[in-house]
C-alpha cells in the first residue's frame, strides 16, 4: 500500500505486460511472389512494411494493400529468401557455395530496389567476408555477374558493389602481370595479360560504364606509389567513419571489429550448373560426385616418365567415393592412381595455373612417385581443385608460391 499526496491509501497498479515478439508481429499476413516461376513467400505485414518500398504498397490504396499480394517477377527467389530471414533476424546467413555468392549479389540489387541502405551495406560486408575467407578471385567478377550489377545499379555504378567488382578485377589482373624483357635487358616491363584486357573489352561492349570505371581506376592504380589494398578486406582506412564500399552517410560510424573465421568446409563451386567445359561431373565413368578437371600437362619426378606425361588433354579426377585421385589420358586410359589422403601439400600461387602435389608414399610401388605436377587450363581451375580436395581432407595444406617460383619448379622437372 502507498499513500497519495492527499493522504488516501491506494493500491499500486501493476505494470502492463510488455508485448511479446509475436504480439508485435500482429496477425496480418501478406504473400509475395518472386521470380518468373512465382515462388510464394508468406510474411507478417508488420515485418515486411519496415521497408519503405513495401510500406508504400501494403499500407496504401494500391491493389497490393487490398489483395495482400505482390509480384516481383524480376527478382531472385533465393536472394529474397535471404532477405526474409534478414527481415526477421536482422542478420544475413552464412554460405559457402557459388550459388550463395550469386544470391548475395542479387540481394544487394534487391536492397537497392527496396531503398534499404542498411541492408545494402550489410550485404556488401558479407560479400567481402565470403570472398576473403574462401580466397575467391575470378569467380567474383564473371561476365554475367558484372553486366547484371551495372545494369541494375546504373545510377550508382561508381560506388558500392560496382566499384568493388572493378577494383577486384584490377587487383587480380595486377597480380598476374607478365614480365617482358626487351632486347636482352635485365630490366623488365610488366604488362596486363592479353586475356584479361580482352575480357574488359568484351565487358565494355556490353556496358560502356564498365570500361570507363575500369580505365579510371586503372589510372589511379598506376599512379599509386604503394600497393593498393585488397578489395576483399574490410579494414581499410580510406575514410574515417565509412567503410570503403558502403553508401550510407559519412556521419554514421559503421566500423566494427573484423572477426576472422576459419572455414574448414571450403568454398563449393556449382559444378552441376557451371557452363565451364573444362570441369565436368562424371556419371558413367565414376560414381556421382566425382569431379574431373581437364589439365594440359601431368608429369612427376620419376625420370622413367619422359614422354607420356608431356602430352596434352589429360584428365585429373577426384573420386569422392573411392577417396582417390587418378589421372587418365584423352582416351580415358588410366595412367596413375593414388589415395587422396596421401596428399600432404599442394603448392601453387593465386595467379598460376600450375600446381605441385606433394604426397607421402604408403606403398612400396609408390616410393618413387612422391611429387606430381599438373598444369591446369587456368588458375581458377587449380583453385577449384585445391578447395574441393581440402573440403574433404582436412589434412591437406597449401604452400603459396609466386608465379616465377612455379615456373622454375616446372622448368627444373622438365629438364630431368
Amino acid at each position: 500500500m502507498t499513500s497519495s499526496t492527499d493522504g488516501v491509501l491506494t493500491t499500486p497498479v501493476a505494470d502492463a505486460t510488455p508485448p511479446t515478439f509475436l504480439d508485435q508481429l500482429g496477425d496480418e499476413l501478406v504473400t509475395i511472389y518472386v521470380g518468373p516461376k512465382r515462388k510464394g513467400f508468406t510474411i507478417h505485414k508488420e515485418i515486411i512494411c519496415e521497408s519503405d518500398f513495401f510500406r508504400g504498397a501494403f499500407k496504401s490504396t494500391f491493389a497490393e494493400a487490398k489483395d495482400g499480394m505482390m509480384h516481383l517477377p524480376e527478382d531472385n527467389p533465393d536472394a529474397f529468401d535471404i532477405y526474409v530471414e534478414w527481415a526477421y533476424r536482422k542478420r544475413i546467413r552464412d554460405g559457402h557455395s557459388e550459388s550463395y555468392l550469386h544470391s548475395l549479389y542479387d540481394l544487394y540489387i534487391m536492397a537497392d530496389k527496396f531503398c534499404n541502405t542498411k541492408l545494402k551495406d550489410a550485404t556488401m560486408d558479407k560479400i567481402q567476408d565470403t570472398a576473403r575467407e574462401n580466397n575467391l578471385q575470378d569467380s567474383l567478377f564473371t561476365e554475367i555477374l558484372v553486366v547484371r550489377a551495372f545494369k541494375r545499379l546504373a545510377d550508382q555504378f561508381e560506388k558500392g558493389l560496382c566499384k568493388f567488382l572493378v577494383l577486384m578485377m584490377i587487383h587480380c589482373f595486377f597480380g598476374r602481370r607478365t614480365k617482358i624483357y626487351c632486347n636482352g635487358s635485365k630490366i623488365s616491363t610488366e604488362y596486363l595479360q592479353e586475356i584479361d584486357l580482352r575480357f574488359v573489352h568484351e565487358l565494355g561492349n556490353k556496358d560502356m560504364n564498365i570500361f570507363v570505371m575500369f580505365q579510371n581506376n586503372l589510372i589511379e592504380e598506376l599512379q599509386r606509389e604503394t600497393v593498393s589494398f585488397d578489395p576483399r578486406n574490410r579494414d581499410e582506412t580510406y575514410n574515417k567513419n565509412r567503410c570503403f564500399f558502403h553508401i550510407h552517410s559519412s556521419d554514421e560510424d559503421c566500423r566494427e571489429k573484423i572477426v576472422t573465421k576459419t572455414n574448414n568446409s571450403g568454398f563449393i563451386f556449382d559444378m552441376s550448373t557451371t557452363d565451364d567445359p573444362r570441369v565436368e561431373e562424371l556419371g558413367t565413368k565414376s560414381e556421382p560426385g566425382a569431379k574431373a578437371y581437364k589439365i594440359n600437362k601431368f608429369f612427376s619426378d620419376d625420370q622413367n616418365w619422359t614422354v607420356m606425361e608431356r602430352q596434352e588433354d589429360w584428365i585429373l579426377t577426384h573420386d569422392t567415393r573411392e577417396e582417390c585421385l587418378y589421372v587418365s589420358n584423352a582416351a580415358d586410359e588410366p595412367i596413375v592412381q593414388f589415395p587422396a589422403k596421401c596428399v600432404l601439400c599442394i603448392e601453387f600461387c593465386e595467379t598460376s595455373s600450375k600446381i605441385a602435389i606433394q604426397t607421402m608414399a604408403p606403398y612400396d610401388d609408390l616410393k618413387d612417385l612422391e611429387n606430381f605436377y599438373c598444369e591446369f587450363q587456368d588458375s581458377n581451375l587449380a583453385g577449384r581443385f585445391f578447395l574441393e580436395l581440402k573440403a574433404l581432407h582436412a589434412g591437406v595444406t597449401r604452400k603459396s608460391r609466386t608465379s616465377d617460383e612455379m615456373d622454375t619448379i616446372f622448368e627444373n622437372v622438365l629438364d630431368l
Side-chain angles (χ1 to χ4, degrees), residues 313-375:
D313 295 328
W314 294 99
I315 302 294
L316 173 64
T317 301
H318 183 196
D319 191 325
T320 57
R321 185 173 183 270
E322 298 294 334
E323 293 293 331
C324 67
L325 296 170
Y326 61 87
V327 177
S328 56
N329 57 24
D332 199 27
E333 298 172 340
I335 303 301
V336 66
Q337 176 176 322
F338 54 95
K341 291 184 178 180
C342 291
V343 177
L344 297 176
C345 177
I346 298 181
E347 298 186 33
F348 76 108
C349 73
E350 296 178 353
T351 60
S352 175
S353 61
K354 301 175 180 178
I355 68 171
I357 303 175
Q358 298 181 358
T359 70
M360 56 182 176
Y363 309 114
D364 291 339
D365 58 347
L366 289 177
K367 63 183 179 181
D368 293 327
L369 301 177
E370 296 184 354
N371 292 292
F372 303 86
Y373 304 88
C374 297
E375 182 176 344

Side-chain angles (χ1 to χ4, degrees), residues 101-136:
L101 178 66
H102 294 186
S103 294
L104 288 181
Y105 281 46
D106 288 334
L107 179 64
Y108 185 97
I109 294 171
M110 191 180 294
D112 177 72
K113 178 179 180 178
F114 299 162
C115 303
N116 194 324
T117 299
K118 185 175 182 180
L119 177 58
K120 287 178 67 175
D121 291 342
T123 305
M124 191 67 251
D125 289 345
K126 183 63 72 172
I127 291 173
Q128 289 176 270
D129 292 346
T130 302
R132 185 187 71 253
E133 292 161 13
N134 297 282
N135 194 28
L136 302 182

Side-chain angles (χ1 to χ4, degrees), residues 21 24-26 30 32 43-59 83-91 114-119:
F21 178 67
Q24 296 177 24
L25 292 179
V30 296
I32 300 175
I43 313 167
H44 286 91
K45 183 176 179 179
E46 288 301 318
I47 283 290
I48 202 68
C49 286
E50 291 179 356
S51 164
D52 293 339
F53 177 85
F54 290 106
R55 188 185 306 115
F58 288 116
K59 293 190 175 183
Y83 173 78
V84 171
E85 181 177 345
W86 181 87
Y88 279 96
R89 306 179 67 181
K90 295 300 181 285
R91 72 175 184 84
F114 299 162
C115 303
N116 194 324
T117 299
K118 185 175 182 180
L119 177 58

Side-chain angles (χ1 to χ4, degrees), residues 1-240:
M1 303 291 286
T2 59
S3 175
S4 64
T5 55
D6 56 4
V8 179
L9 294 177
T10 60
T11 301
V13 179
D15 293 336
T17 303
T20 65
F21 178 67
L22 292 178
D23 291 335
Q24 296 177 24
L25 292 179
D27 299 326
E28 290 188 86
L29 301 174
V30 296
T31 302
I32 300 175
Y33 297 96
V34 184
K37 295 184 178 180
R38 294 165 50 89
K39 182 176 181 179
F41 295 85
T42 301
I43 313 167
H44 286 91
K45 183 176 179 179
E46 288 301 318
I47 283 290
I48 202 68
C49 286
E50 291 179 356
S51 164
D52 293 339
F53 177 85
F54 290 106
R55 188 185 306 115
F58 288 116
K59 293 190 175 183
S60 65
T61 58
F62 295 146
E64 288 84 356
K66 179 181 178 180
D67 301 333
M69 294 187 300
M70 176 181 280
H71 299 273
L72 301 174
E74 296 182 355
D75 293 305
N76 180 356
D78 293 335
F80 193 79
D81 185 69
I82 300 176
Y83 173 78
V84 171
E85 181 177 345
W86 181 87
Y88 279 96
R89 306 179 67 181
K90 295 300 181 285
R91 72 175 184 84
I92 299 175
R93 74 174 73 135
D94 294 329
H96 307 100
S97 67
E98 195 171 5
S99 57
Y100 168 77
L101 178 66
H102 294 186
S103 294
L104 288 181
Y105 281 46
D106 288 334
L107 179 64
Y108 185 97
I109 294 171
M110 191 180 294
D112 177 72
K113 178 179 180 178
F114 299 162
C115 303
N116 194 324
T117 299
K118 185 175 182 180
L119 177 58
K120 287 178 67 175
D121 291 342
T123 305
M124 191 67 251
D125 289 345
K126 183 63 72 172
I127 291 173
Q128 289 176 270
D129 292 346
T130 302
R132 185 187 71 253
E133 292 161 13
N134 297 282
N135 194 28
L136 302 182
Q137 296 190 66
D138 293 60
S139 57
L140 293 170
F141 50 83
T142 64
E143 180 178 321
I144 294 177
L145 294 176
V146 175
V147 172
R148 183 165 70 234
F150 271 79
K151 179 180 178 181
R152 299 290 296 274
L153 303 168
D155 59 337
Q156 48 182 290
F157 66 88
E158 295 182 337
K159 54 186 178 182
L161 178 60
C162 292
K163 189 175 185 67
F164 169 79
L165 293 174
V166 170
L167 291 183
M168 195 65 218
M169 280 191 283
I170 293 175
H171 177 74
C172 290
F173 296 169
F174 262 62
R176 52 178 176 248
R177 284 175 293 180
T178 302
K179 290 184 178 180
I180 298 179
Y181 297 86
C182 299
N183 300 325
S185 173
K186 294 183 178 180
I187 301 177
S188 64
T189 303
E190 294 184 325
Y191 295 90
L192 297 182
Q193 293 192 16
E194 181 180 352
I195 189 173
D196 292 333
L197 294 176
R198 189 182 301 117
F199 176 72
V200 176
H201 182 264
E202 293 173 355
L203 290 176
N205 288 336
K206 296 181 180 297
D207 191 326
M208 181 56 66
N209 287 332
I210 302 176
F211 181 80
V212 172
M213 272 287 289
F214 183 87
Q215 176 180 263
N216 292 342
N217 285 275
L218 179 62
I219 293 175
E220 293 181 8
E221 183 74 15
L222 294 173
Q223 292 174 342
R224 295 183 191 276
E225 296 181 357
T226 58
V227 178
S228 65
F229 72 97
D230 186 336
R232 296 169 295 187
N233 294 332
R234 287 204 286 129
D235 56 351
E236 70 290 289
T237 56
Y238 285 91
N239 293 321
K240 180 179 180 181

